[in-house]
Amino acid sequence: MIEKGAPGFEVVGTDKKMGSRASSTAALSFINCRIPRANLLGKPGEGLKMLYDFLRKSRPSVAAQALGVARAAFEDAIAYVNDCPAPLKSLRFEVSLFSKRGDRRCGKAVSAKGRSLAS
């Protein structure tokens, strides 16, 4: 662990995110930065193993979050297309065909919430 303001440690820049703002993402610089042995997490040489363990445990929740965002975006797109004016009828048909690949009930394309996509 390293404290903010330690010699050689600098936050170079932070990313501006569209979503997932609960935790910040930043680029860090460690030029000539010395970290006391007492601040080490684990044993020397085990950092990469610890990183891989963390990634392995966090991937399912990251994937679930991405799937939830994608599903919500798809449902919003379906709602928009179903409510749009007649000139976009061909787009309604294309969204309907796309949805048929994912869920079929009674031969009609339906959204994840069970609404018919056919107009």
Side-chain angles (χ1 to χ4, degrees), residues 24-71:
S24 59
T25 302
L28 307 176
S29 172
F30 299 93
I31 298 173
N32 295 321
C33 182
R34 303 207 32 105
I35 301 170
R37 190 171 291 277
N39 289 19
L40 291 177
L41 298 176
K43 297 176 184 171
E46 290 185 351
L48 189 59
K49 180 182 179 287
M50 291 171 66
L51 173 68
Y52 285 150
D53 283 345
F54 171 75
L55 289 175
R56 182 178 48 82
K57 291 174 184 173
S58 66
R59 282 185 176 151
S61 62
V62 171
Q65 182 181 20
L67 183 59
V69 169
R71 182 176 178 171

Side-chain angles (χ1 to χ4, degrees), residues 69-82:
V69 169
R71 182 176 178 171
F74 183 66
E75 288 180 358
D76 284 351
I78 290 168
Y80 174 79
V81 170
N82 282 335

